[in-house]
Amino acid sequence: MNGEPIIDVRGMTKRFGDRTVVDHVDLTVRAGEIFGFLGPNGSGKTTFLRMLCGLLRADDGSGTCLGHDVITESEAIKREVGYMTQRFSFWEDLSIAENLDFVARMYDVKNRRQTVRKSLEQLGLAGRKDQLAGQLSGGWKQRLALAACLIHKPKLLLLDEPTAGVDPKARRDFWDEIHHLAGEGLTVLITTHYMDEAERCHRLAYIAYGKLLTHGAVDEVIGNERLTTWSVSGQDLAKLTEQLRARPGVEQTVAFGNMLHVSGGDAAALEQGIAPFRTDQYEWRQVESGLEDVFIHLMDKSKDNSLS
Amino acid sequence: MARFRAMLAKEFIQMRRDRLTFAMMIGIPLLQLILFGYAINADPKHLPAAILVADQGPEGRTLFSALQNSGYYDLVRRVQSEAEGRDLLARGKVQFVINIPENFSRDFIRGDRPALLVEADATDPGTTGNAIGSLSTALNTALQNDLKGPLESLAANDGPIDLRVHALYNPEAITHYNIVPGLMGVVLTLTMILVTGLAITRERERGTMENLLSMPTRPIEVLVGKLVPYILVGYVQVTLILLAARFLFNVPMFGSLLLLLLAAALFIVANLAVGITFSTIAQNQLQAMQMTFFFFLPSLLLSGFAFPFRGMPHWAQAIGEVLPLTHFVRVVRGILLKGNGIGNIAPELWPIALFAAVAMFIAMKRYRQTLD
Ligand SMILES: Nc1ncnc2c1ncn2[C@@H]1O[C@H](COP(=O)(O)OP(=O)(O)OP(=O)(O)O)[C@@H](O)[C@H]1O
Ligand SMILES: [Mg+2]
């Protein structure tokens, strides 16, 4: 993916009172890329997206979005961006068709009626177009929101947790659609808390406490952390977890169903740490660290830093 | 019992969090207390009166002091002609014009019962009622001393003078004539401020504001687009009240309705500006509603709509003069009942325009195109 940079910002910062919520974040997203933006709750993802499309004034930072200055030209940026808010933000007392029509008018879409009709058909809601948006189920609201964001043919999509609370099948359809759009040249910046979705992104960034901790393709992100992970299965893993946590070298344990992932940054120390428990009772296997292991590791590390 | 206490505790916590609502819950009763307790007076005294004196005799002076002493009249001006007096009445500068005709003293001494002409701006019967009522007693008592000898018999009959009161604009003292036109301003104030405040805070409360702001719109497009429907609603209200005034209450309509509709436009804009300003402060619809009420209450009570403006103490009148409703009530009453034209209402229009300009400036300054 070597297209021109669509988002190219440096040092983006936002403070609320004396809290720095986004702290000097640099980010480059290239044309046609699906870029995943991950981070724990309250890490500043939504705030960052809002700064990109001019909904919040940045306290510091510079750069371009779609070739326009991200600080001074938000009006031009808004014209070419489709922003899907985290919370459903269409008018619940307007019908589906009325919502789409309103958005189309706001963006001065050519051939408005036709565009809206086509959008309704693609959405599969042509038959229910007169239903009020407020009566839709959560999943359908999400689909309506996406359709509305796309109606003016934006060059950049900013999607804020678009699949929260959506069933697996709908989620998969959603991602197929995103990949299809990216194939046509649309650039997508998407926030999510789902690991499987993170893995479907071309590149990722991970943000915690307002700071960008790592970015790159999935394997780069994993590789950069140099985390060693062992998987263990057997009886009474809860008790084992407790014992392992007290051991030197063991930095984190994460339960995956009947398995436990035990990770540490220092491979040798970790091996020594788990040595006493490598008995017949348990089955141990060294595995490749997954994204989730890495993210939890990053988060714990940054929490330690922010506390000290 | 435990659950009841839990509920109680929760409500108290929430009440304390919503500072503005809490402040209003305390503030509104205080405001009412002050307004009803100190500002409102249903027996207005010291009403401004002009005198037209064509006779220099001593009885004239007796009459002046009698009027002054009654407490109801303040003789603030001397006019040279009846026309000048009428003009002052039309513009609401004075409440009364007292006319002492030529040869008043001579006729009085002769026992010819000279006429004393009192013209009153009786648009609001509540303002003039007591002043007029007290008139004949005050005058007769004052003239008692002059009624010596042969004149004494007059006192027993119809009185020594022929008191003629002309209650102008509303001769039959019909309260509807006064209330119904004023109601137009009251209704507009309440709905325009409330509805704009709600329309904008609703977008914020429901989260649709974020969506709206992410679209390439200018604030002026959003605001004007939002407000125009409510301006139309305002005109529907004006029309309804005018129709009711005409056909249900038979309120006379002497002036130009077109002028009235134009003045209403200015007044509506002033109120919309207040509504927008409130919406930039209020966090939710409830707060917007309370702020509206906080503005509406003094408007209602201090504007001269419900209680005589001239009955209020100076500080209350000063506040009243700032409020657009005060001036609009005068404009509507002036146009409908007095047949005032643009020249006579202009002094009431510019305060509304000034208020609108200042409120609009604050609204625009505070209106944010971003979420912070
Ligand atoms: N308008 C605001 N005023 C004050 N603080 C705010 C405001 N908006 C957000 N914050 C704070 O900024 C921080 C970052 O919030 P943000 O919504 O960007 O997080 P997020 O990464 O999107 O979280 P989530 O994954 O839960 O959506 C939070 O701690 C939040 O409390
Ligand atoms: Mg968020």
Side-chain angles (χ1 to χ4, degrees):
Chain A
M1 218 48 64
N2 282 319
E4 51 175 320
I6 292 292
I7 300 173
D8 191 15
V9 293
R10 299 278 161 265
M12 295 301 280
T13 302
K14 180 72 198 176
R15 297 185 196 93
F16 288 116
D18 53 3
R19 277 187 59 210
T20 306
V21 168
V22 175
D23 194 358
H24 294 92
V25 169
D26 304 342
L27 196 72
T28 307
V29 179
R30 294 180 185 283
E33 204 168 37
I34 300 177
F35 195 98
F37 203 50
L38 288 95
N41 291 133
S43 53
K45 302 181 295 295
T46 301
T47 307
F48 181 76
L49 292 190
R50 285 176 173 167
M51 282 195 287
L52 278 185
C53 58
L55 280 174
L56 285 175
R57 244 180 282 273
D59 290 312
D60 201 0
S62 62
T64 59
C65 185
L66 294 155
H68 307 292
D69 189 301
V70 74
I71 306 293
T72 58
E73 297 178 315
S74 47
E75 183 127 348
I77 295 173
K78 284 177 185 178
R79 250 186 275 280
E80 300 175 14
V81 168
Y83 172 47
M84 181 168 161
T85 55
Q86 182 167 356
R87 172 180 167 195
F88 182 73
S89 63
F90 287 87
W91 289 267
E92 304 209 334
D93 45 359
L94 293 188
S95 72
I96 296 165
E98 285 162 347
N99 266 301
L100 291 174
D101 189 64
F102 174 71
V103 176
R105 276 170 185 250
M106 287 304 254
Y107 287 98
D108 231 341
V109 170
K110 304 257 180 311
N111 294 328
R112 198 181 82 238
R113 280 165 211 284
Q114 207 182 326
T115 313
V116 170
R117 185 156 11 94
K118 235 168 54 201
S119 170
L120 279 168
E121 277 161 19
Q122 276 174 5
L123 198 58
L125 281 176
R128 291 160 62 185
K129 69 185 173 65
D130 293 324
Q131 196 179 342
L132 296 186
Q135 295 169 350
L136 290 172
S137 73
W140 277 106
K141 277 185 182 162
Q142 239 100 345
R143 262 176 265 187
L144 168 61
L146 181 67
C149 288
L150 288 169
I151 210 152
H152 61 293
K153 303 209 164 46
K155 298 199 179 102
L156 170 65
L157 265 188
L158 303 176
L159 306 176
D160 200 355
E161 294 189 35
T163 55
V166 171
D167 73 55
K169 167 78 168 65
R171 221 144 59 82
R172 175 175 289 175
D173 292 347
F174 182 89
W175 273 91
D176 286 347
E177 168 83 1
I178 295 295
H179 272 276
H180 171 73
L181 291 166
E184 291 180 343
L186 191 71
T187 310
V188 184
L189 177 57
I190 181 168
T191 77
T192 176
H193 290 296
Y194 296 114
M195 289 308 127
D196 60 320
E197 293 189 349
E199 279 164 11
R200 302 186 71 162
C201 295
H202 299 124
R203 288 203 305 141
L204 302 171
Y206 188 82
I207 181 175
Y209 301 101
K211 292 200 177 69
L212 196 75
L213 299 182
T214 181
H215 62 97
V218 176
D219 42 358
E220 286 169 6
V221 167
I222 296 175
N224 288 344
E225 257 322 273
R226 302 183 188 293
L227 194 68
T228 309
T229 300
W230 289 78
S231 152
V232 54
S233 53
Q235 296 295 311
D236 206 359
L237 289 177
K239 187 162 156 245
L240 178 65
T241 306
E242 221 143 275
Q243 290 167 328
L244 280 172
R245 283 201 173 148
R247 299 286 301 165
V250 176
E251 288 172 19
Q252 74 185 36
T253 57
V254 184
F256 285 91
N258 303 326
M259 267 189 321
L260 193 64
H261 278 192
V262 185
S263 317
D266 184 337
L270 178 64
E271 200 155 355
Q272 272 185 0
I274 63 173
F277 304 98
R278 296 182 70 176
T279 58
D280 292 346
Q281 211 184 333
Y282 303 107
E283 191 184 323
W284 287 88
R285 202 155 43 85
Q286 188 172 357
V287 295
E288 277 190 36
S289 302
L291 261 185
E292 187 156 342
D293 301 315
V294 168
F295 286 159
I296 291 171
H297 189 67
L298 280 168
M299 198 169 116
D300 288 344
K301 231 170 40 176
S302 71
K303 186 158 46 184
D304 294 346
N305 286 344
S306 71
L307 288 180
S308 61
Chain B
M1 198 60 195
R3 277 189 288 272
F4 161 73
R5 280 222 292 274
M7 204 65 209
L8 205 63
K10 169 183 149 294
E11 290 306 314
F12 272 122
I13 293 171
Q14 287 180 316
M15 198 192 285
R16 212 179 52 210
R17 291 284 143 77
D18 192 351
R19 291 270 170 79
L20 191 65
T21 302
F22 191 71
M24 291 287 175
M25 282 193 291
I26 304 297
I28 288 178
L30 279 179
L31 190 69
Q32 280 172 315
L33 212 60
I34 292 169
L35 293 181
F36 280 108
Y38 294 108
I40 287 168
N41 173 8
D43 182 22
K45 303 222 161 140
H46 300 288
L47 301 168
I51 43 171
L52 175 59
V53 188
D55 182 274
Q56 298 304 333
E59 277 72 23
R61 269 192 296 279
T62 315
L63 289 181
F64 297 157
S65 43
L67 291 175
Q68 294 269 33
N69 291 342
S70 75
Y72 283 108
Y73 299 86
D74 273 355
L75 302 178
V76 292
R77 298 173 94 122
R78 239 169 219 281
V79 290
Q80 304 305 328
S81 68
E82 285 189 24
E84 194 186 343
R86 279 290 171 98
D87 182 56
L88 289 176
L89 285 172
R91 287 193 282 128
K93 291 285 175 209
V94 296
Q95 198 78 38
F96 300 98
V97 175
I98 293 149
N99 187 346
I100 299 181
E102 252 177 288
N103 303 328
F104 182 85
S105 283
R106 194 196 67 195
D107 292 352
F108 179 76
I109 310 275
R110 284 191 190 164
D112 281 354
R113 299 192 69 234
L116 178 72
L117 189 62
V118 176
E119 290 190 313
D121 171 358
T123 340
D124 177 8
T127 305
T128 44
N130 286 351
I132 294 176
S134 75
L135 205 53
S136 75
T137 333
L139 293 178
N140 287 345
T141 323
L143 292 170
Q144 210 78 63
N145 296 334
D146 297 348
L147 296 173
K148 294 281 149 58
L151 293 177
E152 225 155 342
S153 60
L154 286 172
N157 297 331
D158 306 337
I161 54 171
D162 175 15
L163 179 62
R164 293 185 200 163
V165 178
H166 284 185
L168 296 178
Y169 312 127
N170 187 359
E172 289 152 80
I174 298 174
T175 345
H176 294 155
Y177 288 8
N178 186 49
I179 292 293
V180 176
L183 201 57
M184 188 185 298
V186 172
V187 168
L188 283 177
T189 301
L190 188 58
T191 19
M192 290 301 105
I193 297 182
L194 189 61
V195 136
T196 31
L198 291 186
I200 297 171
T201 42
R202 182 166 55 225
E203 300 265 6
R204 202 168 308 134
E205 203 175 309
R206 295 192 183 166
T208 49
M209 196 52 134
E210 182 174 9
N211 201 339
L212 204 55
L213 291 178
S214 76
M215 296 178 193
T217 51
R218 275 182 292 254
I220 192 79
E221 293 167 333
V222 173
L223 280 179
V224 173
K226 259 193 165 312
L227 298 187
V228 164
Y230 298 113
I231 295 181
L232 294 181
V233 171
Y235 270 109
V236 171
Q237 295 180 326
V238 169
T239 312
L240 279 178
I241 292 178
L242 280 177
L243 287 175
R246 184 86 193 80
F247 296 107
L248 297 182
F249 299 105
N250 297 316
V251 175
M253 296 186 182
F254 291 116
S256 148
L257 288 186
L258 181 68
L259 184 61
L260 180 60
L261 294 182
L262 289 176
L266 186 63
F267 182 64
I268 288 174
V269 169
N271 284 302
L272 293 180
V274 176
I276 300 169
T277 308
F278 285 174
S279 76
T280 63
I281 303 168
Q283 295 298 315
N284 53 48
Q285 297 189 64
L286 176 64
Q287 290 184 351
M289 236 156 96
Q290 288 171 318
M291 292 170 80
T292 304
F293 198 63
F294 204 77
F295 180 81
F296 178 67
L297 200 61
S299 289
L300 183 70
L301 299 179
L302 301 184
S303 63
F305 163 73
F307 301 97
F309 189 81
R310 292 203 163 110
M312 302 188 306
H314 287 295
W315 62 266
Q317 290 195 11
I319 298 173
E321 291 286 354
V322 175
L323 301 170
L325 181 59
T326 308
H327 300 281
F328 188 65
V329 164
R330 292 179 194 161
V331 166
V332 183
R333 287 174 180 169
I335 293 178
L336 291 185
L337 304 180
K338 301 181 178 178
N340 280 349
I342 180 77
N344 280 340
I345 62 165
E348 306 296 343
L349 286 182
W350 72 258
I352 305 180
L354 182 66
F355 183 95
V358 172
M360 205 48 105
F361 178 76
I362 298 174
M364 287 303 143
K365 262 261 55 91
R366 289 198 50 96
Y367 186 81
R368 289 270 163 275
Q369 213 189 348
T370 56
L371 291 169
D372 39 0

